[in-house]
């Protein structure tokens, strides 16, 4: 049954990162999670840290079992690293718009300190029911454990911002989401990417330098908005066991362009719909199958 909202989940599943081995355990649990969440009317599932073999498997299973979903594949090698995202989408509601070179997404990266650093991957979709274009940029920035990350992150953000300015000229409805490997208040987010905590800031911003609204500041509340069946308190989207002083971080974020916030008709971000999904006890070393929790939000159609 078709519903009025577009429900979206973003998750760093830690199946196969660019510089780590494939995790069979994480892959088994991830498949269960994906199949279960599709039953809950989720229209888009952005998966980070996945490899091409896993994407091909999902596409094959969806086709074999006649499941009305497909996978936009963003996995590909890029010099010393590789892009490791994909987008699972509901084919009955959304059609993937391929790039002029017939790729599923457009990649941005830049060289920093002699190595290639990933910026983001833009996936374009056509909303079949309303004939509106929607772009989702999936992000997986360099790890906060990367040497000299303070030199790398600003340049990655500036490069991505340059491309965002070009994309906004074509489509005003852009969602920026993923694993930024930094907190919402990091200068790379606020000063280089121009993404801020005030929802009216993008609406007030002028054409040519549009701000993005970062709803993920709400995750800094104690506790943040979450769907949590467990007894422990969720304090962020990422849990680092090795750190003595601080375990919780808000690395997974979502940001919205002006087109998804203003009073015009079309798809709009549903206020305060963003939440963390406590699908497993991330503090339990045995039970957890990723060090990130998924985040979920929705868009509502306005006439």
């Amino acid at each position: 049954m078709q519903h009025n909202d577009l429900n979206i989940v973003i998750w760093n599943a830690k199946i196969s990162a660019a510089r780590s081995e494939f995790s069979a355990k994480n892959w088994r649990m991830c498949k269960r999670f994906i199949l279960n969440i599709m039953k809950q009317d989720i229209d888009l599932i952005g998966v980070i840290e996945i490899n091409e073999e896993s994407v091909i498997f999902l596409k094959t299973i969806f086709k074999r079992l006649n499941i009305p979903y497909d996978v936009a594949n963003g996995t590909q090698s890029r010099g010393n690293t590789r892009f490791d995202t994909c987008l699972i989408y509901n084919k009955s509601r959304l059609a993937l718009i391929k790039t002029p070179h017939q790729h599923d997404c457009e990649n941005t990266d830049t060289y920093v300190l002699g190595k290639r650093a990933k910026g983001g991957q833009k996936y374009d979709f056509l909303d079949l029911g309303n004939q509106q274009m929607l772009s989702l940029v999936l992000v997986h920035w360099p790890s906060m454990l990367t040497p000299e990350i303070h030199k790398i992150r600003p340049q990655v953000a500036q490069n991505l911002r340059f491309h965002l300015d070009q994309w906004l000229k074509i489509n005003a409805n852009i969602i920026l989401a993923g694993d930024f490997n930094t907190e919402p208040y990091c200068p790379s987010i606020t000063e280089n990417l121009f993404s801020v905590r005030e929802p009216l800031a993008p609406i007030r911003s002028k054409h040519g330098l549009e701000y993005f609204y970062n709803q993920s500041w709400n995750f800094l509340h104690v506790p943040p908005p979450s769907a949590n069946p467990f007894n422990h308190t969720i304090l962020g989207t990422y849990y680092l066991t090795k750190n003595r002083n601080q375990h919780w971080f808000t690395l997974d974020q979502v940001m919205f362009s002006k087109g998804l916030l203003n009073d015009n008709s079309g798809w709009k971000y549903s206020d305060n719909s963003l939440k963390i999904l406590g699908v497993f006890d991330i503090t339990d070393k045995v039970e957890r199958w990723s060090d990130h929790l998924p985040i979920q939000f929705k868009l509502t159609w306005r006439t």
Side-chain angles (χ1 to χ4, degrees):
M1 179 178 70
Q2 184 161 313
H3 45 87
N4 294 326
D5 297 330
L6 272 177
N7 292 303
I8 303 171
V9 168
I10 306 295
W11 184 35
N12 184 330
K14 203 177 181 181
I15 298 165
S16 178
R19 295 183 178 89
S20 64
E21 296 181 357
F22 173 82
S23 172
K25 175 188 175 184
N26 288 17
W27 176 225
R28 286 195 304 270
M29 300 302 294
C30 181
K31 285 185 288 186
R32 295 178 190 175
F33 169 75
I34 289 171
L35 293 174
N36 181 63
I37 205 167
M38 285 192 304
K39 298 176 184 177
Q40 303 175 33
D41 288 330
I42 303 299
D43 300 292
L44 279 166
I45 307 172
V47 182
I48 299 166
E49 291 199 5
I50 192 169
N51 59 2
E52 186 174 18
E53 292 76 12
S54 302
V55 172
I56 293 172
F57 174 85
L58 289 173
K59 290 175 71 73
T60 303
I61 289 298
F62 293 161
K63 185 175 183 180
R64 182 184 302 168
L65 300 181
N66 200 28
I67 299 174
Y69 283 79
D70 202 350
V71 190
N73 185 7
T75 62
Q76 62 174 271
S77 297
R78 298 288 283 177
N80 56 286
T81 185
R82 67 176 173 85
F83 284 100
D84 56 2
T85 78
C86 74
L87 257 179
I88 302 167
Y89 62 96
N90 184 342
K91 293 193 300 181
S92 66
R93 304 198 69 188
L94 299 164
L96 178 68
I97 303 173
K98 295 206 172 188
T99 71
H101 298 290
Q102 293 303 299
H103 296 147
D104 287 358
C105 63
E106 181 180 346
N107 302 330
T108 72
D109 53 17
T110 186
Y111 277 100
V112 185
L113 302 178
K115 294 184 178 180
R116 196 181 295 267
K118 298 174 291 184
Q121 296 180 280
K122 180 173 69 73
Y123 296 83
D124 292 328
F125 292 93
L126 178 66
D127 168 16
L128 295 173
N130 301 296
Q131 294 297 298
Q132 186 180 69
M133 185 177 174
L134 181 68
S135 298
L136 200 156
V137 180
L138 274 185
V139 167
H140 188 196
W141 282 4
S143 168
M144 58 182 178
L145 303 178
T146 301
E148 296 190 279
I149 186 61
H150 62 286
K151 296 181 180 179
I152 297 172
R153 192 181 288 130
Q155 294 191 46
V156 171
Q158 291 165 14
N159 177 262
L160 177 56
R161 180 67 219 200
F162 169 81
H163 287 87
L164 286 169
D165 289 337
Q166 310 310 309
W167 296 335
L168 284 167
K169 296 175 183 177
I170 301 171
N171 176 30
N173 304 309
I174 296 181
I175 301 169
L176 185 59
D179 177 8
F180 289 81
N181 267 306
T182 191
E183 303 269 12
Y185 48 78
C186 174
S188 295
I189 299 286
T190 58
E191 298 175 13
N192 300 128
L193 204 55
F194 296 104
S195 184
V196 296
R197 64 188 299 178
E198 291 187 40
L200 293 179
I203 297 173
R204 292 193 298 258
S205 61
K206 297 180 180 179
H207 183 71
L209 182 57
E210 297 183 16
Y211 283 80
F212 277 71
Y213 169 47
N214 189 351
Q215 169 79 79
S216 310
W217 278 85
N218 280 15
F219 289 162
L220 301 180
H221 294 174
V222 181
S226 65
N228 179 19
F230 300 100
N231 292 325
H232 75 280
T233 301
I234 292 175
L235 298 177
T237 66
Y238 174 78
Y239 188 83
L240 181 64
T241 57
K242 298 178 181 179
N243 197 330
R244 294 181 180 178
N245 300 316
Q246 181 178 347
H247 297 293
W248 289 97
F249 298 85
T250 299
L251 306 184
D252 306 274
Q253 302 170 46
V254 60
M255 309 165 194
F256 303 94
S257 66
K258 178 166 63 175
L260 295 168
L261 301 170
N262 59 29
D263 294 329
N264 297 333
S265 62
W267 286 114
K268 304 300 169 189
Y269 169 61
S270 181
D271 292 341
N272 299 317
S273 65
L274 180 63
K275 61 185 176 183
I276 301 170
L277 298 181
V279 293
F280 55 89
D281 186 350
I282 199 171
T283 66
D284 189 313
K285 293 182 180 180
V286 177
E287 181 186 328
R288 75 179 195 163
W289 29 285
S290 173
D291 44 15
H292 292 257
L293 289 172
I295 59 176
Q296 180 179 345
F297 60 95
K298 65 182 179 181
L299 305 181
T300 299
W301 183 261
R302 298 180 188 171
T303 56

